[in-house]
Amino acid sequence: MAAESRRFRDPEEVSSELETAREIKEGFASRGLVGERAPGYFIRTFGCQQNEADSERLAGLCEAMGYSPVPVPEAAKLILVNTCAIREHAEKKALSIIGSFKHVKDADPDVVIGVGGCMAAEEHRANTLKMSYPYVDFVFEPASAYSLPSLVKDAARGRRRFVRESGDAIAEGIPTVRESSHSVWLSVMYGCNNFCSYCIVPYVRGRERSRRPDDIIEEAKRLVDGGAKNITLLGQNVNSYGKDSDGCCDIAELMRRICRIDGDFELRFMTSHPKDASDELIDAIAEEPKIVKHFHLPVQSGSDRILKLMNRHYDRERYLSVVDKLRARVPDVTLTSDIIVGFPGEEEEDFLDTLDLMRRVRYDMIFSFIYSPRVGTPAAKMEPRVPREVSAERMERLLALGTELSEERNSRFVGRTLRVLADGVSRTDPGMMTGRGSPARPVHFPGGEELTGKFVNVKIKSAGAFWVGGEIE
Ligand code: 5AD
Ligand code: SF4
């Protein structure tokens, strides 16, 4: 019970924040600032799906405070930036956007500006925001997002706040405004215990904390009742789900229980650590029709020497044995991966091992990144650094092979009919729709807005590296 109460925030704390939100809303209402006249909020989100899901909770809190969404920051009374710290590029972009909000505050000093997310949880970045961005009213780490109403209240009274390390207990019961009603994120756990040597996530998002299965299933039921057709379970390492809570079910059992919910929907999950990819999870993917046959299994490198330096706790052989097991149980599985090039000490030979592993696995798609040193992680002190131009050249070769493999893998769909969830009309070509096929491919097909959020059967006629195309049958 003690562990349980440490894992979760006291519900009183959450209800006190929701009470503050109500007070703020009533304050706006008493000044006639409701409906069309409600103050605007604008959230800019960087980074991964976890951040997108967090922003949906921030949006829920903004609306509980009486704000309504506006499309541009200039129209907002509350601006939030949800930052990412995974690579330097993401941080620079966030800092530059935050810098650009100075003119909004100059034009209207009543505008409240807050910065959250992973970058906000780094001490050196939080200090920079405090010292060099005086128009930023508050900074909060991901686990403190639930306290947004009191941060906003304090900002309105002219009190700047910088919340770091307020503890990382889970706050249940936060209102959520989702971007889409048919395709939804569902966080099942937060944080990461793996400490891969290059990664900042465990430092900024804390240790693994799993939500209770009943809370997740309850939320999944509500989402399905609300029209969700695609639910993606989220966690930094969903394979560890439940390991922090005695007697709790694991990810395979959780997914099987969600599949029992009545309704026509599909279930996805991300991300997985290869060392924890269990036979039970593979069985669940193979046996449950609602689980999309897609496995995102980041390998990071194909070199045993580099994998060791990365602290990944598996070698090529072990990784390939998971892939073999998966392919044996789910022959049509779509396999995707993350790969880092230019990790400290990576030699040409190590890189060739990565290319070789890619050829062995035949990935449907890879997401590749040039190594970016993160302050406070062990790899940031490792030598020798790979020169930028060497990493860039390796990246080009990696992308060329990735594209070749994707084209080859996508060609297997030509002539087949895929069940596709229509996501929306293409931004560049209004007569076309994009959707997600099972197994997981972006699918393009002629269609109109009325199909959004519906399942359609698409006969695939063509395939490129990044999509497949066809027509509704
Ligand atoms: N530099 C480059 N890529 C990184 N990733 C994580 N940390 C770093 C870093 N310091 C990549 C990994 C991870 C993905 C989400 O981001 O490939 O799987
Ligand atoms: Fe980072 Fe490794 Fe955790 Fe993924 S598993 S979030 S790469 S530390």
Side-chain angles (χ1 to χ4, degrees):
M1 195 57 209
E4 181 82 354
S5 58
R6 269 198 308 275
R7 208 151 48 91
F8 294 95
R9 242 168 237 288
D10 184 345
E12 289 285 313
E13 276 183 82
V14 178
S15 27
S16 138
E17 287 296 339
L18 296 178
E19 187 48 42
T20 304
R22 256 189 305 276
E23 279 166 27
I24 295 172
K25 187 173 182 169
E26 279 161 17
F28 288 137
S30 68
R31 290 186 279 147
L33 302 176
V34 286
E36 298 254 291
R37 298 193 59 223
Y41 74 90
F42 179 86
I43 304 178
R44 178 67 203 265
T45 307
F46 292 90
C48 63
Q49 295 85 358
Q50 194 72 61
N51 258 20
E52 287 178 22
D54 288 350
S55 284
E56 293 183 337
R57 284 184 277 272
L58 291 173
L61 288 167
C62 288
E63 300 201 6
M65 290 185 283
Y67 291 90
S68 63
V70 288
V72 288
E74 289 76 10
K77 284 287 186 190
L78 172 60
I79 299 177
L80 299 174
V81 186
N82 193 0
T83 61
C84 169
I86 201 100
R87 283 171 289 275
E88 194 182 2
H89 181 64
E91 294 198 331
K92 287 214 164 127
K93 255 175 44 192
L95 287 170
S96 132
I97 294 276
I98 297 163
S100 76
F101 292 151
K102 180 176 184 299
H103 76 274
V104 185
K105 187 88 159 194
D106 286 345
D108 178 358
D110 288 344
V111 170
V112 172
I113 301 179
V115 178
C118 294
M119 188 180 85
E122 291 177 293
E123 192 174 359
H124 67 292
R125 293 298 188 193
N127 285 339
T128 306
L129 288 163
K130 195 171 186 170
M131 308 312 282
S132 311
Y133 296 75
Y135 49 90
V136 169
D137 294 288
F138 56 85
V139 169
F140 59 103
E141 56 184 1
S144 300
Y146 79 99
S147 65
L148 185 67
S150 45
L151 292 169
V152 169
K153 186 173 165 186
D154 285 349
R157 293 175 178 156
R159 191 173 155 224
R160 291 181 86 205
R161 283 184 58 192
F162 295 83
V163 189
R164 279 193 65 247
E165 293 168 13
S166 73
D168 54 15
I170 299 175
E172 286 289 357
I174 304 294
T176 307
V177 172
R178 289 185 156 87
E179 282 264 314
S180 154
S181 58
H182 68 267
S183 200
V184 296
W185 308 122
L186 176 48
S187 301
V188 301
M189 62 184 298
Y190 306 93
C192 181
N193 288 356
N194 288 319
F195 290 94
C196 301
S197 63
Y198 50 81
C199 187
I200 194 74
V201 167
Y203 304 89
V204 291
R205 284 196 170 264
R207 294 299 73 72
E208 288 170 0
R209 290 98 66 200
S210 301
R211 294 181 66 199
R212 298 179 196 95
D214 289 351
D215 290 341
I216 297 167
I217 289 160
E218 213 28 64
E219 189 170 349
K221 272 192 196 136
R222 267 186 277 122
L223 289 167
V224 172
D225 287 346
K229 300 285 180 219
N230 165 47
I231 299 178
T232 304
L233 305 185
L234 286 185
Q236 240 75 42
N237 175 18
V238 292
N239 301 155
S240 295
Y241 174 78
K243 286 188 184 161
D244 56 325
S245 42
D246 289 349
C248 174
C249 65
D250 64 6
I251 186 70
E253 194 186 328
L254 179 72
M255 288 176 70
R256 286 190 192 270
R257 284 175 64 182
I258 295 175
C259 288
R260 298 283 88 78
I261 297 172
D262 273 344
D264 188 14
F265 67 94
E266 56 185 29
L267 189 60
R268 297 168 195 259
F269 63 99
M270 65 189 325
T271 284
S272 303
H273 194 299
K275 78 173 163 53
D276 301 315
S278 67
D279 292 355
E280 289 76 13
L281 177 60
I282 294 176
D283 287 345
I285 299 171
E287 290 162 15
E288 294 289 346
K290 283 179 176 159
I291 302 182
V292 174
K293 313 300 173 212
H294 170 209
F295 210 125
H296 184 63
L297 198 60
V299 69
Q300 313 297 359
S301 169
S303 152
D304 283 346
R305 199 176 65 81
I306 297 295
L307 285 171
K308 215 175 178 87
L309 290 172
M310 286 178 163
N311 195 32
R312 289 290 286 177
H313 297 287
Y314 56 83
D315 56 15
R316 283 169 69 90
E317 200 184 304
R318 167 112 183 262
Y319 182 88
L320 288 168
S321 78
V322 175
V323 170
D324 287 345
K325 231 187 269 172
L326 187 61
R327 284 246 159 86
R329 290 288 276 128
V330 194
D332 197 27
V333 71
T334 283
L335 250 168
T336 55
S337 193
D338 294 342
I339 294 179
I340 295 176
V341 296
F343 185 82
E346 184 188 76
E347 303 275 354
E348 176 67 14
E349 207 179 306
D350 300 305
F351 176 67
L352 291 177
D353 281 347
T354 298
L355 296 184
D356 178 70
L357 181 129
M358 284 169 65
R359 282 193 201 92
R360 296 266 294 271
V361 176
R362 313 208 85 72
Y363 287 111
D364 290 84
M365 168 118 94
I366 51 152
F367 300 88
S368 46
F369 311 98
I370 290 183
Y371 169 69
S372 169
R374 308 285 62 217
V375 175
T377 60
K381 297 196 195 82
M382 289 182 190
E383 299 281 352
R385 293 272 177 88
V386 175
R388 188 84 199 167
E389 56 286 3
V390 174
S391 296
E393 190 267 342
R394 284 181 191 161
M395 178 64 116
E396 264 182 45
R397 283 148 70 200
L398 187 110
L399 288 176
L401 176 61
T403 306
E404 185 189 313
L405 295 174
S406 295
E407 266 175 14
E408 179 203 296
R409 290 288 296 158
N410 277 349
S411 65
R412 81 185 192 277
F413 295 121
V414 175
R416 280 171 56 182
T417 298
L418 297 186
R419 187 158 195 257
V420 177
L421 176 61
D423 259 335
V425 173
S426 153
R427 284 205 197 108
T428 47
D429 189 349
M432 295 292 285
M433 298 213 78
T434 51
R436 259 181 276 191
S438 183
R441 295 305 318 163
V443 183
H444 293 199
F445 54 96
E449 191 53 53
E450 71 286 355
L451 294 176
T452 298
K454 299 211 163 80
F455 284 111
V456 288
N457 288 326
V458 178
K459 172 110 182 176
I460 304 303
K461 307 221 154 125
S462 57
F466 307 111
W467 50 271
V468 294
E471 278 170 20
I472 296 180
E473 270 197 331

